[in-house]
Amino acid sequence: MSSHIESDTISLADLSATQRDLLWVLSQTGSSESGPLHHALTDYYTDGIDQARVCDTLEELFERDLVTKHTDDTTEFRLTESARRALSARQAWQAGTRNAAGGHE
């Protein structure tokens, strides 16, 4: 019974660097298609990143309930609330304010 029911406890420490970077880019850009996300990571990664890898990574984040997919003519990805909380907790941890991840602001 260890499903992801407790979405408040999602930790970005369990994700790959690429997954965390995609979440960060989405937090900065809002909803986006995979193309612009790929472009943003290509600008950041010195060795570049393959478009297929970005799509696979987005699918993994979708399966972990960290992004949602909205499809009309194209597919846009958006952060879930759990992803926003996890990003906020990571930023607090990086800033040295670990208690901010404990549920209060």
Side-chain angles (χ1 to χ4, degrees), residues 8-26:
D8 290 342
T9 62
I10 292 174
S11 171
L12 297 189
D14 298 329
L15 301 180
S16 71
T18 304
Q19 290 170 326
R20 288 191 304 264
D21 292 343
L22 271 171
L23 290 176
W24 177 252
V25 171
L26 274 169

Side-chain angles (χ1 to χ4, degrees), residues 28-39:
Q28 300 302 301
T29 63
S31 63
S32 184
E33 297 174 19
S34 63
L37 295 170
H38 171 250
H39 184 70

Side-chain angles (χ1 to χ4, degrees), residues 44-75:
Y44 177 69
Y45 286 32
T46 55
D47 293 336
I49 186 167
D50 186 79
Q51 173 74 32
R53 181 173 173 203
V54 171
C55 291
D56 290 345
T57 303
L58 286 166
E59 190 59 36
E60 292 165 2
L61 293 171
F62 174 74
E63 290 170 5
R64 288 178 170 242
D65 197 33
L66 293 169
V67 299
T68 59
K69 293 192 276 190
H70 300 274
T71 306
D72 286 320
D73 293 332
T74 61
T75 301

